Amino acid sequence: MSQVSPGRFAGKVVVVTGAAQGIGRAVAARVAAEGAHTVLVDRAELIHDVAAALAGTSADGATAVGVTADLENYEGAGGAIEEALGLRGRIDVLINNVGGTIWAKPFEHYAPDEITKEIQRSLFPTLWTCRAVLPHMIGQQSGVIVNVASVATRGVNRVPYAAAKGGVKAITAALALEAAPHGIRVVATAPGGTEAPPRKVARGPQPEGDREKAWYQQIVDQTIESSLMKRYGTLDEQAGPIAFLASDEASYITGSVLAVAGGDLG
């Protein structure tokens, strides 16, 4: 982990969703190293092992706890936020990281139920958790919501995912207007392609056959070509901007979506 700012989140309660692996786990590790009391939310039971490991490496006095929840429905999202409040008493920062392409193929090959599942995976967790945490943040007249969108809103072979992440960008812009009078900032990053270890919990089925593998390769090729740097980013390169936007250093930034994709603006 590079460029850690010790004490930047000291005493703050930070909820990170989708924290069992990938960008979410990297962000949780980053803010914990900077003093945050973290609540890690994921539907995978793996989250409890991640939280336990994080608790052992957090900055002095910082704590970490895992919560299992399915954020694709309001009951799960509301329950996760209530559990976090019960454990920590307040929420200063919510980082919405749940989402990810399930299938990779031209739009005409998507079945209707697959389209629905993509939207449920990559739009509703952010929508529901924002709704669940908002009354609490309004009550304390402070808070930060950082949503994780994507530059894949302009990309090949994942139109439903693009629609969902476009919705995340819209949530960010519209909610920032409503939340600002209550001292709440709402911001987002839009990651590009990101290198990560093999997933312990798969997002969806692996490509089968030459045609599906070729469709996925088209995504990889287009992602690299669209980046001015002609490469994928690293987990640290994604976690750093998210942590910055969540911190008091970004106190005059709201309603903005920061592309973190080597020059690809999506």
Side-chain angles (χ1 to χ4, degrees):
M1 189 187 306
S2 61
Q3 304 297 321
V4 169
S5 301
R8 183 160 58 164
F9 290 95
K12 291 192 175 183
V13 177
V14 180
V15 176
V16 184
T17 73
Q21 52 195 337
I23 292 174
R25 181 170 183 169
V27 170
R30 179 64 169 265
V31 298
E34 297 183 356
H37 298 293
T38 53
V39 180
L40 282 58
V41 184
D42 205 286
R43 65 182 179 184
E45 291 295 329
L46 171 66
I47 196 64
H48 299 291
D49 295 334
V50 173
L54 195 59
T57 60
S58 297
D60 291 344
T63 59
V65 64
V67 171
T68 52
D70 182 355
L71 304 182
E72 292 183 14
N73 58 76
Y74 184 72
E75 291 73 21
I81 294 300
E82 287 303 314
E83 187 168 350
L85 288 170
L87 289 166
R88 296 290 179 256
R90 62 182 290 116
I91 296 173
D92 298 294
V93 179
L94 168 65
I95 298 172
N96 284 316
N97 177 68
V98 172
T101 305
I102 304 173
W103 292 278
K105 50 189 171 182
F107 191 43
E108 67 269 22
H109 292 280
Y110 275 87
D113 68 306
E114 291 174 339
I115 295 171
T116 299
K117 288 176 181 177
E118 292 276 12
I119 299 297
Q120 288 174 334
R121 170 72 58 83
S122 292
L123 174 63
F124 276 102
T126 294
L127 192 66
W128 292 142
T129 50
C130 283
R131 172 60 183 85
V133 82
L134 195 59
H136 167 71
M137 288 186 171
I138 290 174
Q140 66 188 21
Q141 288 291 286
S142 66
V144 182
I145 298 173
V146 183
N147 298 323
V148 178
S150 175
V151 295
T153 47
R154 185 177 181 273
V156 299
N157 294 352
R158 40 188 172 168
V159 167
Y161 173 73
K165 287 301 189 178
V168 171
K169 291 179 179 180
I171 292 167
T172 302
L175 185 56
L177 286 170
E178 294 188 17
H182 302 288
I184 302 165
R185 294 191 299 110
V186 186
V187 289
T189 66
T194 305
E195 295 177 349
R199 295 181 63 86
K200 294 183 179 180
V201 179
R203 286 189 180 130
Q206 294 298 307
E208 295 181 2
D210 292 341
R211 185 175 70 163
E212 289 192 359
K213 290 177 182 177
W215 287 338
Y216 184 80
Q217 187 61 44
Q218 287 173 352
I219 289 178
V220 174
D221 294 344
Q222 182 256 307
T223 298
I224 294 172
E225 181 59 30
S226 296
S227 167
L228 302 185
M229 294 182 175
K230 305 305 178 190
R231 66 172 176 86
Y232 272 41
T234 68
L235 290 176
D236 274 352
E237 286 174 325
Q238 297 298 341
I242 292 170
F244 163 69
L245 287 176
S247 76
D248 291 339
E249 294 175 16
S251 58
Y252 196 49
I253 301 174
T254 195
S256 298
V257 179
L258 175 62
V260 187
D264 182 3
L265 301 180

